[in-house]
């Protein structure tokens, strides 16, 4: 299939482009490079031996979106493009609502105009808010989320549901990610946040790389075995493969609109992750216990059964792989820059 990947040079988008190409698809990417580097295009070619068709721009720009659909026969779209920093979204709500929602509206309008109605949407487990119970399944109650970023995902899911109700020729799959971490084994692509990372694993990697002195552990007084927060960490390559599984189902069946959790079904605490990183890479990670981070919840992990039953998707990589690949990416990036 010819797949348009919005935000395709970003962390999850680029890994998905690799898996799409490796599965015999052709890939067209639009990315405004606001949170991605143009070199990623070359790394994707290096990894797969195949090129992508690249357009630099923002999905909100109708002109470039028309150009893409005029110049390419798009069979399906995977929509990753969007702002995704939870903390930043609290201080910049208008930018988040404008960019994340407008880009989705423009994309769907153009797709409709060109009669392309196969869409995979990158959503987030954040839409579950503070879960009543774990593991979380797709019918668990939604919201309220603790930040505008999460609310944009909630709003976009509703927009897509309304779009399907208006025209049931749409074939829409919503994928709710838990905590994507790790990097491709080549070390060429991975998570390269600008500035000081908000997320745990990129922060640990910077401490390991001596770019930060120590890690703050946000709270050790949660109702968990070691008192620190528990999350469902999934390797980004597994997550990318989950997208290919979703696309195959879209291509084979008329799914209508379906939602799937992409997680491992296993929870790991902050201290588990620190210990796993230290063990996998033989590097000490100094840390200090700090107070809880506002908006954090204690425990979050998926019930991954629906994706397994209906998409045949099951995460294969373990925490040790995630820790080794996260560190390998930074080491490779460092060597490339030297
Ligand atoms: C994980 C755990 C923290 C940093 C966020 C978004 C979510 C998704 C994934 C996009 C928590 C603890 C963290 C640190 C720490 N992103 N922590 N010290 O908050 O589960 O999810 O990223 O879709 O939408 O909400 O991920 O990595 O920030 O935190 O102790 O320096 O690590 O308290 O328990 P989170 P995270």
């Amino acid at each position: 299939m010819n797949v348009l990947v919005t935000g395709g040079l970003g962390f999850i988008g680029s890994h998905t482009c690799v898996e799409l190409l490796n599965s015999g698809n052709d890939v067209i990417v639009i990315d405004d490079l606001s949170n991605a580097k143009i070199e990623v295009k070359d790394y994707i070619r290096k990894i797969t031996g195949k090129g992508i068709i690249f357009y630099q721009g923002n999905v909100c720009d109708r002109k470039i979106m028309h150009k893409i659909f005029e110049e390419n026969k798009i069979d399906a779209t995977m929509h990753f493009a969007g702002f995704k920093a939870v903390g930043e979204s609290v201080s910049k709500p208008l930018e988040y609502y404008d960019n994340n929602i407008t880009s989705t509206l423009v994309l769907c309008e153009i797709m409709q105009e060109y009669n392309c109605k196969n869409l995979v949407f990158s959503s987030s487990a954040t839409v579950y808010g503070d879960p009543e119970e774990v593991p979380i399944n797709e019918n668990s109650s939604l919201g309220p989320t603790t930040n505008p970023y999460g609310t944009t995902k909630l709003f976009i899911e509703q927009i897509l549901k309304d779009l399907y109700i208006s025209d049931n020729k749409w074939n829409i799959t919503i994928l709710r990610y838990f905590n994507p971490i790790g990097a491709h084994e080549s070390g060429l692509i991975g998570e390269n946040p600008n500035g000081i990372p908000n997320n745990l694993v990129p922060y640990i990697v910077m401490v390991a790389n001596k770019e930060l002195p120590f890690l703050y552990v946000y709270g050790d007084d949660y109702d968990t075995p070691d008192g620190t927060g528990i999350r469902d960490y999934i390797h980004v390559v597994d997550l990318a493969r989950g997208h290919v599984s979703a696309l195959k189902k879209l291509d084979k069946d008329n799914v209508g609109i379906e939602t799937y959790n992409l997680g491992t079904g296993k929870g790991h605490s902050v201290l588990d992750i620190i210990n796993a990183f230290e063990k996998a890479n033989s590097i000490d990670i100094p840390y200090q216990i700090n107070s809880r981070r506002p908006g954090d919840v204690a425990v979050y992990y998926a019930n991954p059964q629906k994706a397994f039953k209906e998409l045949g998707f099951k995460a294969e990589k373990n925490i040790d792989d995630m820790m080794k690949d996260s560190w390998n990416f930074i080491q490779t990036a460092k060597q490339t820059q030297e």
Side-chain angles (χ1 to χ4, degrees):
M1 293 175 90
N2 281 348
V3 185
L4 171 63
V5 180
T6 75
L9 298 191
F11 174 43
I12 299 164
S14 57
H15 285 84
T16 304
C17 287
V18 165
E19 298 308 321
L20 285 168
L21 290 166
N22 286 342
S23 310
N25 297 287
D26 290 312
V27 171
I28 300 96
V29 166
I30 178 169
D31 199 306
D32 65 2
L33 303 181
S34 61
N35 196 18
K37 294 184 171 59
I38 187 74
E39 300 85 69
V40 170
K41 192 160 65 74
D42 306 323
Y43 298 148
I44 291 171
R45 171 184 290 280
K46 215 165 173 185
I47 293 169
T48 63
K50 297 176 188 169
I52 61 170
I53 297 172
F54 177 66
Y55 294 82
Q56 182 171 340
N58 189 300
V59 183
C60 299
D61 176 350
R62 281 177 170 74
K63 203 155 151 278
I64 195 164
M65 292 305 288
H66 267 294
K67 181 174 164 58
I68 291 171
F69 278 81
E70 282 297 326
E71 295 176 356
N72 305 274
K73 166 123 185 30
I74 307 293
D75 300 313
T77 299
M78 291 195 173
H79 183 33
F80 296 97
F83 296 155
K84 65 164 191 173
V86 167
E88 184 187 56
S89 76
V90 176
S91 56
K92 296 181 177 175
L94 297 182
E95 287 88 333
Y96 270 69
Y97 285 115
D98 181 25
N99 185 59
N100 291 7
I101 293 173
T102 307
S103 61
T104 307
L105 295 175
V106 170
L107 174 67
C108 291
E109 283 162 14
I110 304 283
M111 288 178 73
Q112 196 159 257
E113 197 179 314
Y114 287 85
N115 198 28
C116 169
K117 297 184 177 178
N118 294 318
L119 172 63
V120 175
F121 174 62
S122 162
S123 191
S124 167
T126 315
V127 301
Y128 293 114
D130 189 350
E132 283 146 19
E133 55 170 4
V134 285
I136 304 173
N137 65 49
E138 287 81 356
N139 302 320
S140 299
S141 57
L142 301 183
T145 68
T146 58
N147 55 80
Y149 158 77
T151 308
T152 67
K153 294 296 184 183
L154 207 51
F155 286 176
I156 293 167
E157 288 198 12
Q158 187 55 53
I159 289 166
L160 297 178
K161 285 169 191 157
D162 290 342
L163 177 61
Y164 174 70
I165 291 166
S166 75
D167 171 4
N168 62 18
K169 290 197 183 59
W170 278 91
N171 240 343
I172 298 170
T173 299
I174 294 169
L175 299 178
R176 292 175 182 158
Y177 310 159
F178 279 71
N179 289 58
I181 61 171
H184 187 267
E185 60 189 8
S186 65
L188 291 172
I189 55 177
E191 189 166 20
N192 219 353
N194 306 326
I196 306 285
N198 295 302
N199 293 140
L200 177 66
V201 173
Y203 200 105
I204 287 177
V205 167
M206 285 184 81
V207 171
N209 211 28
K210 307 268 184 272
E211 294 174 72
L212 291 167
F214 59 85
L215 169 76
Y216 277 120
V217 174
Y218 293 139
D220 66 347
D221 57 351
Y222 285 105
D223 182 13
T224 62
D226 65 19
T228 64
I230 289 177
R231 295 292 184 275
D232 185 334
Y233 297 94
I234 178 170
H235 197 293
V236 63
V237 171
D238 275 328
L239 194 74
R241 289 184 180 140
H243 285 72
V244 175
S245 306
L247 182 74
K248 281 183 184 148
K249 184 162 174 67
L250 274 189
D251 189 26
K252 197 164 64 69
D253 307 335
N254 195 335
V255 299
I257 185 163
E258 281 297 344
T259 301
Y260 298 94
N261 287 338
L262 291 190
T264 65
K266 297 186 195 78
H268 288 85
S269 74
V270 178
L271 295 183
D272 289 338
I273 295 295
I274 294 170
N275 295 333
F277 188 92
E278 291 182 328
K279 185 164 161 278
N281 301 304
S282 310
I283 301 175
D284 274 340
I285 299 295
Y287 65 86
Q288 281 183 19
I289 302 292
N290 203 339
S291 50
R292 293 183 179 189
R293 181 172 63 174
D296 271 354
V297 295
V299 185
Y300 235 95
Y301 58 89
N303 175 346
Q305 280 310 308
K306 186 180 176 191
F308 179 63
K309 283 192 196 117
E310 297 184 16
L311 303 180
F313 169 74
K314 189 171 179 351
E316 290 160 8
K317 292 176 178 286
N318 59 36
I319 278 288
D320 191 56
D321 300 321
M322 298 179 214
M323 297 299 112
K324 284 197 171 95
D325 291 339
S326 300
W327 180 235
N328 178 48
F329 169 63
I330 291 300
Q331 293 302 91
T332 309
K334 216 161 71 170
Q335 282 152 20
T336 319
Q337 280 148 18
E338 272 158 11

